[in-house]
């Protein structure tokens, strides 16, 4: 079993920045994909960014150039640096892990095995 705990959410104004963290504990697979998803009220959960054990990253078009995903293998933690935040970035953000696979080109939430509890991000204008 893998446990994921997110932190770092909050409220910011348009153009501001936030850094989300996802700490993983428990079983550590040799191959994995760590992803960030978000879900706004009344909308489907969408993939935002992901990073694999190989360091390859994936981003949704809506966040390219503004969000950066990274990881610290020593700390078993993934990060999502979010800059130039917009009101449409407002959502609950979830960390997820897909085990024994590297990140696919399309981030589909049903393909991920483990999920955190989520952290709220609110961007106000």
């Amino acid at each position: 079993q893998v446990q994921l705990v997110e932190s770092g959410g909050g409220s910011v104004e348009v153009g501001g920045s936030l850094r989300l963290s996802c700490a993983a504990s428990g079983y550590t697979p040799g191959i994995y994909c760590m992803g960030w998803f978000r879900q706004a009220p009344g909308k489907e959960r969408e993939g935002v960014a992901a990073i694999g054990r190989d360091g390859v990253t994936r981003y949704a078009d809506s966040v390219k150039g503004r969000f950066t995903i990274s990881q610290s293998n020593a700390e078993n933690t993934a990060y999502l640096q979010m800059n130039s935040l917009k009101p449409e970035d407002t959502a609950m953000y979830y960390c997820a892990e897909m085990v024994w696979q590297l990140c696919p080109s399309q981030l589909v939430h049903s393909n991920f095995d483990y999920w955190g509890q989520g952290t709220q991000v609110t961007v106000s204008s």
Side-chain angles (χ1 to χ4, degrees):
Q1 289 291 329
V2 175
Q3 291 80 44
L4 302 173
V5 179
E6 304 98 332
S7 61
S11 296
V12 295
E13 294 185 348
V14 169
S17 298
L18 282 173
R19 188 193 196 204
L20 305 183
S21 299
C22 173
S25 61
Y27 172 63
T28 303
I31 301 174
Y32 60 81
C33 173
M34 293 289 294
W36 286 96
F37 288 75
R38 66 186 181 187
Q39 188 166 20
K43 295 189 177 181
E44 292 191 0
R45 191 168 297 191
E46 63 170 344
V48 175
I51 186 166
R53 180 65 178 86
D54 58 354
V56 174
T57 57
R58 309 291 189 195
Y59 293 96
D61 289 342
S62 59
V63 306
K64 282 180 181 176
R66 300 188 298 122
F67 291 11
T68 303
I69 190 170
S70 61
Q71 63 184 341
S72 169
N73 292 330
E75 299 174 348
N76 288 330
T77 300
Y79 303 96
L80 185 68
Q81 178 66 43
M82 305 185 296
N83 298 329
S84 301
L85 283 162
K86 304 175 181 180
E88 51 264 42
D89 295 318
T90 295
M92 184 71 79
Y93 282 71
Y94 298 91
C95 175
E97 183 169 348
M98 181 190 303
V99 298
W100 297 113
Q101 295 185 65
L102 296 176
C103 294
S105 57
Q106 297 295 321
L107 302 179
V108 179
H109 64 82
S110 59
N111 292 337
F112 283 74
D113 304 293
Y114 300 98
W115 291 83
Q117 80 289 350
T119 186
Q120 178 68 37
V121 171
T122 302
V123 184
S124 58
S125 56

